[in-house]
Amino acid sequence: TQLLEQSPQFLSIQEGENLTVYCNSSSVFSSLQWYRQEPGEGPVLLVTVVTGGEVKKLKRLTFQFGDARKDSSLHITAAQPGDTGLYLCALNRDNYGQNFVFGPGTRLSVLP
Amino acid sequence: DAGVTQSPTHLIKTRGQQVTLRCSPISGHKSVSWYQQVLGQGPQFIFQYYEKEERGRGNFPDRFSARQFPNYSSELNVNALLLGDSALYLCASSLARGPNTEAFFGQGTRLTVV
């Protein structure tokens, strides 16, 4: 059973464009993490969102946690080629902080 | 400080063989987890170890086993390799201080089974 769904699966845009990717679940989760993974590398944590309705900004990236804590979005403003990668959302299934369920990811390609 | 290190970085094995993958966590991290990432998918949880004890196991066959050593490094073993075991195997370490704890991933071991 896929606990997390992500959309779109693939996205190819020109440098300077804006984009939004989504992470959804049928279940409520206490917190959600967003990771970016570049080719040949492991995922790197971008942000953790905890509170329903929470908005966090990381330079040109804006993360939002849905009010009902069942969905999240990542918005990138003025995308750059360096934003290219696989964007993964993940939730923790236990209280110890190491049993993650990952979504299938959105593969973003930003063309110069 | 060194990040999570995994070895080897690439590996080619034949069906039926056995493989051992190694992971050294960030200094001070007592929790190590292993994930399998098949091409085009997100990582799938295999095992978590904390203080040398197994704390979690994903939906993987008994051909997969792991252990953690007193220095908190870890090994993942896979027996009787199948073509479908070809994947990127990721190790993550953390302080394991709650559900919002950040996990730090190594760059992975790319296993190809032929």
Side-chain angles (χ1 to χ4, degrees), chain A residues 8-63:
Chain A
Q9 186 178 359
F10 299 97
L11 189 57
S12 181
I13 61 171
Q14 294 293 133
E15 181 176 2
E17 293 183 3
N18 301 331
L19 67 114
T20 302
V21 298
Y22 301 91
C23 176
N24 297 282
S25 173
S26 57
S27 304
V28 175
F29 32 81
S30 59
S31 65
L32 187 85
Q33 296 186 336
W34 283 93
Y35 289 81
R36 180 171 66 210
Q37 184 178 21
E38 299 184 18
E41 303 290 333
V44 176
L45 180 67
L46 296 173
V47 77
T48 301
V49 286
V50 179
T51 306
E54 181 177 9
V55 176
K56 283 191 173 179
K57 291 192 174 184
L58 183 66
K59 297 183 180 178
R60 293 175 295 99
L61 278 60
T62 301
F63 303 85

Side-chain angles (χ1 to χ4, degrees), chain B residues 10-30:
Chain B
H10 295 82
L11 201 53
I12 299 175
K13 289 286 190 177
T14 305
R15 277 179 298 176
Q17 285 189 312
Q18 175 265 341
V19 68
T20 298
L21 311 181
R22 296 175 176 83
C23 172
S24 293
I26 291 173
S27 178
H29 287 190
K30 298 179 180 180

